[in-house]
Amino acid sequence: MADPVRVTVWNEFRHEKRNPEIAAIYPDGIHGAIAGPLAKHDDLEVRTATLDEPEHGLTDEVLAATDVLTWWGHTAHGEVDDVIVERLRKRVWEGMGLVVLHSGHLSKIFSSLMGTSCWLKWREADERERIWVVDPSHPIAAGLGEYFEIPQCEMYGEHFDIPPPDELVFISWFQGGEVFRSGCTFRRGNGKIFYFRPGHETLPIYHQAEVQHVIANAVRWCAQPRGVYPGYGNYLPREELEGYTGPDFSGHPDDVAARG
Ligand code: ZN
């Protein structure tokens, strides 16, 4: 059997500590609600990390042992240390997968990888959402029907200010009339990114089976094998080049390995 996919489920974990109604919906925190169902899959190895841990729980050691990071934040995006954001971005470029959930659209890590405002329209009216699968061949849609519904949600509406996604897997329709690109893939460097819209701290959306199913599919998709992270910068020739007297270093992975 292949090695399990190592998943780190990150949560800001502030609403649940401050608001008893939210704590009642997510007694183990939103990270617990996401990590618990993931951990039931034999092919996934799951840990959690939260904002108030040292280094937000995202040390070099943790990230080196993370194939895919899932991200939920809302009220404290600004408190995420820029040093950690830069560390995450580098890990994504090197090939770590990133699944950004719901209000994570405004997180520093997502907006810095997108390069746009990532703004959208929103409304809290506990309206119905119908999430249509618009790419049934995509692995993230595996096991789903043509659509699924969330009985009560917070609306997110277009325009969603993101770069055009590489692939669009889901489009949401809302009872109030808006639509939204709810499942979008992006590639940055060697890393694969999936943005998934559903969630909200005052609604039990992460307890819904279809939502848990999509998150597990997305984690696996983000972790699919890929090539080596390329060398960049000054580059020694692969063959003898007569008369070439370049510097005695190179970004080629073989040369980096040889240097130790
Ligand atoms: Zn929300």
Side-chain angles (χ1 to χ4, degrees):
M1 203 175 107
D3 289 337
V5 174
R6 301 166 301 171
V7 189
T8 299
V9 173
W10 192 88
N11 177 22
E12 177 183 283
F13 196 30
R14 287 282 175 81
H15 289 294
E16 303 94 315
K17 290 181 192 165
R18 291 175 184 165
N19 184 326
E21 287 167 25
I22 294 173
I25 298 168
Y26 293 110
D28 301 320
I30 288 173
H31 54 299
I34 293 166
L38 285 176
K40 289 184 182 149
H41 297 272
D42 290 342
D43 59 331
L44 306 180
E45 188 180 290
V46 184
R47 72 166 91 197
T48 64
T50 55
L51 177 66
D52 292 325
E53 295 172 41
E55 301 184 52
H56 312 322
L58 301 171
T59 61
D60 284 323
E61 293 71 27
V62 167
L63 291 180
T66 298
D67 300 313
V68 180
L69 176 69
T70 76
W71 193 270
W72 197 98
H74 176 231
T75 190
H77 294 313
E79 291 181 50
V80 178
D81 192 327
D82 290 337
V83 171
I84 307 294
V85 176
E86 200 46 46
R87 185 184 291 171
L88 296 175
R89 207 157 64 131
K90 184 163 173 288
R91 279 289 292 131
V92 170
W93 291 339
E94 290 170 352
M96 181 179 77
L98 179 66
V99 177
V100 175
L101 298 166
H102 188 61
S103 41
H105 71 94
L106 282 185
S107 63
K108 288 182 182 178
I109 181 57
F110 186 62
S111 58
S112 72
L113 286 163
M114 295 299 108
T116 55
S117 76
C118 300
W119 285 7
L120 45 73
K121 296 181 176 69
W122 61 276
R123 172 174 64 234
E124 287 185 271
D126 289 352
E127 65 203 276
R128 187 155 49 96
E129 174 179 10
R130 185 174 297 137
I131 301 179
W132 287 94
V133 175
V134 293
D135 186 354
S137 71
H138 201 284
I140 293 177
L144 295 174
E146 281 199 73
Y147 64 84
F148 65 96
E149 292 190 346
I150 293 175
Q152 291 185 308
C153 78
E154 175 192 23
M155 185 280 294
Y156 276 9
E158 297 282 347
H159 176 242
F160 184 18
D161 184 22
I162 49 172
D166 295 332
E167 300 159 306
L168 187 56
V169 185
F170 303 120
I171 292 177
S172 287
W173 165 91
F174 298 91
Q175 216 172 342
E178 292 80 5
V179 295
F180 191 76
R181 288 168 289 172
S182 275
C184 305
T185 75
F186 305 91
R187 290 161 202 249
R188 293 292 184 273
N190 273 29
K192 292 163 83 174
I193 301 165
F194 185 61
Y195 174 79
F196 188 44
R197 192 208 89 78
H200 191 55
E201 63 278 4
T202 61
L203 295 167
I205 291 167
Y206 292 122
H207 297 309
Q208 188 172 331
E210 294 98 329
V211 172
Q212 296 170 354
H213 180 85
V214 170
I215 293 172
N217 282 353
V219 162
R220 293 190 185 103
W221 179 80
C222 284
Q224 280 171 358
R226 65 210 64 194
V228 69
Y229 187 60
Y232 294 103
N234 199 306
Y235 207 69
L236 289 175
R238 297 294 93 197
E239 313 291 341
E240 287 297 320
L241 273 188
E242 205 181 322
Y244 177 75
T245 55
D248 185 23
F249 63 86
S250 171
H252 189 279
D254 291 348
D255 302 328
V256 172
R259 281 204 306 278

Short mmCIF file of all heavy atoms in Angstrom, two decimals, residues 10 14 50-58 63 71 76-89 107-109 112:
data_model
loop_
_atom_site.label_atom_id
_atom_site.label_comp_id
_atom_site.label_asym_id
_atom_site.label_seq_id
_atom_site.Cartn_x
_atom_site.Cartn_y
_atom_site.Cartn_z
N TRP A 10 -5.58 23.03 9.56
CA TRP A 10 -5.32 24.26 10.32
C TRP A 10 -6.62 25.03 10.53
O TRP A 10 -7.45 25.14 9.63
CB TRP A 10 -4.33 25.17 9.57
CG TRP A 10 -3.82 26.30 10.43
CD1 TRP A 10 -2.73 26.25 11.26
CD2 TRP A 10 -4.37 27.62 10.56
NE1 TRP A 10 -2.59 27.46 11.90
CE2 TRP A 10 -3.57 28.32 11.49
CE3 TRP A 10 -5.46 28.27 9.99
CZ2 TRP A 10 -3.82 29.64 11.86
CZ3 TRP A 10 -5.72 29.59 10.36
CH2 TRP A 10 -4.89 30.26 11.29
N ARG A 14 -10.90 30.62 17.02
CA ARG A 14 -11.21 31.75 17.90
C ARG A 14 -12.72 31.81 18.17
O ARG A 14 -13.15 31.94 19.30
CB ARG A 14 -10.76 33.07 17.25
CG ARG A 14 -9.27 33.26 17.25
CD ARG A 14 -8.78 33.69 18.61
NE ARG A 14 -7.31 33.77 18.67
CZ ARG A 14 -6.60 34.80 18.21
NH1 ARG A 14 -7.22 35.86 17.69
NH2 ARG A 14 -5.28 34.80 18.30
N THR A 50 -3.35 25.11 15.18
CA THR A 50 -4.22 26.28 15.36
C THR A 50 -3.39 27.54 15.58
O THR A 50 -2.22 27.48 15.97
CB THR A 50 -5.19 26.08 16.54
OG1 THR A 50 -4.43 25.77 17.71
CG2 THR A 50 -6.17 24.94 16.26
N LEU A 51 -4.05 28.67 15.38
CA LEU A 51 -3.38 29.98 15.38
C LEU A 51 -2.59 30.25 16.65
O LEU A 51 -1.47 30.78 16.59
CB LEU A 51 -4.45 31.07 15.19
CG LEU A 51 -3.99 32.53 15.22
CD1 LEU A 51 -3.08 32.84 14.04
CD2 LEU A 51 -5.20 33.47 15.21
N ASP A 52 -3.15 29.93 17.82
CA ASP A 52 -2.53 30.35 19.08
C ASP A 52 -1.42 29.42 19.56
O ASP A 52 -0.81 29.67 20.61
CB ASP A 52 -3.61 30.51 20.17
CG ASP A 52 -4.51 31.70 19.85
OD1 ASP A 52 -3.98 32.70 19.30
OD2 ASP A 52 -5.71 31.63 20.12
N GLU A 53 -1.12 28.36 18.82
CA GLU A 53 0.04 27.54 19.14
C GLU A 53 1.31 28.30 18.73
O GLU A 53 1.25 29.18 17.86
CB GLU A 53 -0.02 26.20 18.39
CG GLU A 53 -1.19 25.31 18.81
CD GLU A 53 -1.32 24.10 17.90
OE1 GLU A 53 -0.29 23.50 17.53
OE2 GLU A 53 -2.46 23.75 17.55
N PRO A 54 2.47 27.97 19.33
CA PRO A 54 3.72 28.58 18.87
C PRO A 54 3.89 28.38 17.36
O PRO A 54 3.64 27.27 16.86
CB PRO A 54 4.81 27.83 19.65
CG PRO A 54 4.10 27.27 20.84
CD PRO A 54 2.68 27.01 20.42
N GLU A 55 4.27 29.45 16.67
CA GLU A 55 4.42 29.43 15.21
C GLU A 55 3.13 28.97 14.52
O GLU A 55 3.16 28.38 13.44
CB GLU A 55 5.62 28.56 14.78
CG GLU A 55 6.94 29.05 15.37
CD GLU A 55 8.15 28.27 14.89
OE1 GLU A 55 8.31 28.11 13.67
OE2 GLU A 55 8.93 27.80 15.75
N HIS A 56 2.00 29.23 15.18
CA HIS A 56 0.67 28.82 14.68
C HIS A 56 0.58 27.31 14.44
O HIS A 56 -0.24 26.84 13.65
CB HIS A 56 0.29 29.55 13.39
CG HIS A 56 0.50 31.04 13.42
ND1 HIS A 56 0.24 31.79 14.55
CD2 HIS A 56 0.93 31.91 12.47
CE1 HIS A 56 0.52 33.07 14.28
NE2 HIS A 56 0.94 33.17 13.04
N GLY A 57 1.45 26.56 15.12
CA GLY A 57 1.46 25.10 14.92
C GLY A 57 2.08 24.67 13.61
O GLY A 57 2.01 23.50 13.25
N LEU A 58 2.70 25.63 12.90
CA LEU A 58 3.22 25.35 11.56
C LEU A 58 4.73 25.53 11.53
O LEU A 58 5.26 26.36 10.80
CB LEU A 58 2.51 26.26 10.53
CG LEU A 58 0.99 26.09 10.50
CD1 LEU A 58 0.35 27.18 9.63
CD2 LEU A 58 0.60 24.71 9.99
N LEU A 63 5.65 21.27 8.76
CA LEU A 63 5.42 21.47 7.32
C LEU A 63 6.23 20.49 6.48
O LEU A 63 5.77 20.05 5.42
CB LEU A 63 5.73 22.91 6.93
CG LEU A 63 4.75 23.94 7.49
CD1 LEU A 63 5.13 25.34 7.04
CD2 LEU A 63 3.32 23.63 7.08
N TRP A 71 -7.03 24.85 5.28
CA TRP A 71 -6.98 26.16 5.95
C TRP A 71 -8.38 26.70 6.20
O TRP A 71 -9.14 26.90 5.25
CB TRP A 71 -6.21 27.15 5.06
CG TRP A 71 -5.84 28.40 5.79
CD1 TRP A 71 -6.59 29.54 5.87
CD2 TRP A 71 -4.64 28.65 6.52
NE1 TRP A 71 -5.92 30.47 6.63
CE2 TRP A 71 -4.72 29.94 7.04
CE3 TRP A 71 -3.49 27.87 6.79
CZ2 TRP A 71 -3.70 30.50 7.82
CZ3 TRP A 71 -2.48 28.43 7.55
CH2 TRP A 71 -2.60 29.73 8.05
N ALA A 76 -9.32 36.45 12.18
CA ALA A 76 -7.96 36.84 12.59
C ALA A 76 -6.92 36.63 11.49
O ALA A 76 -5.76 36.35 11.77
CB ALA A 76 -7.57 36.03 13.84
N HIS A 77 -7.33 36.84 10.23
CA HIS A 77 -6.36 36.68 9.14
C HIS A 77 -5.12 37.54 9.40
O HIS A 77 -3.99 37.12 9.13
CB HIS A 77 -6.98 37.12 7.81
CG HIS A 77 -8.10 36.25 7.33
ND1 HIS A 77 -8.03 34.88 7.32
CD2 HIS A 77 -9.33 36.57 6.83
CE1 HIS A 77 -9.17 34.39 6.83
NE2 HIS A 77 -9.97 35.39 6.54
N GLY A 78 -5.35 38.77 9.92
CA GLY A 78 -4.24 39.71 10.13
C GLY A 78 -3.25 39.26 11.19
O GLY A 78 -2.13 39.77 11.24
N GLU A 79 -3.66 38.33 12.06
CA GLU A 79 -2.77 37.87 13.13
C GLU A 79 -1.84 36.75 12.69
O GLU A 79 -0.98 36.31 13.46
CB GLU A 79 -3.59 37.41 14.34
CG GLU A 79 -4.31 38.54 15.05
CD GLU A 79 -5.10 38.05 16.24
OE1 GLU A 79 -4.54 37.32 17.07
OE2 GLU A 79 -6.31 38.37 16.31
N VAL A 80 -2.02 36.26 11.49
CA VAL A 80 -1.12 35.21 10.99
C VAL A 80 0.20 35.88 10.59
O VAL A 80 0.22 36.79 9.76
CB VAL A 80 -1.75 34.45 9.80
CG1 VAL A 80 -0.79 33.40 9.27
CG2 VAL A 80 -3.06 33.79 10.24
N ASP A 81 1.27 35.44 11.22
CA ASP A 81 2.59 36.05 11.07
C ASP A 81 3.07 35.95 9.61
O ASP A 81 3.03 34.87 9.02
CB ASP A 81 3.57 35.30 12.00
CG ASP A 81 4.91 36.01 12.14
OD1 ASP A 81 5.35 36.65 11.16
OD2 ASP A 81 5.49 35.91 13.23
N ASP A 82 3.56 37.08 9.09
CA ASP A 82 4.03 37.09 7.69
C ASP A 82 5.19 36.10 7.46
O ASP A 82 5.34 35.58 6.36
CB ASP A 82 4.49 38.50 7.30
CG ASP A 82 3.31 39.47 7.17
OD1 ASP A 82 2.18 38.99 6.95
OD2 ASP A 82 3.53 40.68 7.31
N VAL A 83 5.97 35.87 8.51
CA VAL A 83 7.08 34.91 8.38
C VAL A 83 6.53 33.51 8.11
O VAL A 83 7.05 32.76 7.28
CB VAL A 83 7.95 34.91 9.66
CG1 VAL A 83 8.97 33.78 9.64
CG2 VAL A 83 8.65 36.26 9.82
N ILE A 84 5.43 33.18 8.79
CA ILE A 84 4.82 31.86 8.59
C ILE A 84 4.16 31.80 7.21
O ILE A 84 4.23 30.77 6.52
CB ILE A 84 3.77 31.57 9.69
CG1 ILE A 84 4.37 31.75 11.10
CG2 ILE A 84 3.17 30.17 9.52
CD1 ILE A 84 5.44 30.78 11.47
N VAL A 85 3.52 32.90 6.80
CA VAL A 85 2.88 32.92 5.48
C VAL A 85 3.93 32.67 4.40
O VAL A 85 3.71 31.87 3.47
CB VAL A 85 2.17 34.27 5.24
CG1 VAL A 85 1.60 34.33 3.82
CG2 VAL A 85 1.06 34.48 6.26
N GLU A 86 5.09 33.30 4.54
CA GLU A 86 6.16 33.12 3.54
C GLU A 86 6.64 31.67 3.55
O GLU A 86 6.92 31.09 2.50
CB GLU A 86 7.30 34.09 3.86
CG GLU A 86 8.22 34.36 2.70
CD GLU A 86 7.49 34.65 1.40
OE1 GLU A 86 6.52 35.45 1.39
OE2 GLU A 86 7.87 34.07 0.37
N ARG A 87 6.71 31.08 4.74
CA ARG A 87 7.11 29.68 4.88
C ARG A 87 6.10 28.76 4.16
O ARG A 87 6.48 27.83 3.45
CB ARG A 87 7.16 29.34 6.37
CG ARG A 87 7.65 27.98 6.73
CD ARG A 87 7.55 27.75 8.23
NE ARG A 87 8.48 28.55 9.01
CZ ARG A 87 8.46 28.65 10.35
NH1 ARG A 87 7.56 27.99 11.05
NH2 ARG A 87 9.34 29.38 10.99
N LEU A 88 4.81 29.06 4.33
CA LEU A 88 3.77 28.26 3.69
C LEU A 88 3.85 28.39 2.17
O LEU A 88 3.72 27.41 1.43
CB LEU A 88 2.38 28.71 4.15
CG LEU A 88 2.04 28.53 5.62
CD1 LEU A 88 0.68 29.15 5.92
CD2 LEU A 88 2.04 27.06 6.00
N ARG A 89 4.04 29.63 1.71
CA ARG A 89 4.06 29.88 0.28
C ARG A 89 5.20 29.11 -0.37
O ARG A 89 5.05 28.49 -1.43
CB ARG A 89 4.21 31.37 0.03
CG ARG A 89 3.62 31.83 -1.28
CD ARG A 89 3.30 33.28 -1.25
NE ARG A 89 4.49 34.09 -1.09
CZ ARG A 89 4.79 35.14 -1.86
NH1 ARG A 89 3.97 35.48 -2.83
NH2 ARG A 89 5.87 35.84 -1.64
N SER A 107 -7.60 34.85 3.49
CA SER A 107 -6.37 34.59 4.26
C SER A 107 -5.17 35.14 3.50
O SER A 107 -5.18 35.27 2.28
CB SER A 107 -6.21 33.08 4.47
OG SER A 107 -6.06 32.42 3.22
N LYS A 108 -4.13 35.45 4.26
CA LYS A 108 -2.90 35.96 3.63
C LYS A 108 -2.31 34.93 2.67
O LYS A 108 -1.83 35.28 1.60
CB LYS A 108 -1.86 36.28 4.70
CG LYS A 108 -2.16 37.52 5.53
CD LYS A 108 -1.00 37.73 6.52
CE LYS A 108 -1.25 38.93 7.42
NZ LYS A 108 -0.13 39.08 8.40
N ILE A 109 -2.34 33.65 3.07
CA ILE A 109 -1.70 32.66 2.21
C ILE A 109 -2.44 32.53 0.88
O ILE A 109 -1.82 32.47 -0.18
CB ILE A 109 -1.54 31.28 2.93
CG1 ILE A 109 -0.83 30.27 2.03
CG2 ILE A 109 -2.86 30.71 3.44
CD1 ILE A 109 0.53 30.67 1.54
N SER A 112 -2.09 35.87 -1.22
CA SER A 112 -0.74 36.08 -1.75
C SER A 112 -0.43 35.11 -2.89
O SER A 112 0.31 35.44 -3.80
CB SER A 112 0.30 35.96 -0.63
OG SER A 112 0.45 34.63 -0.23
#
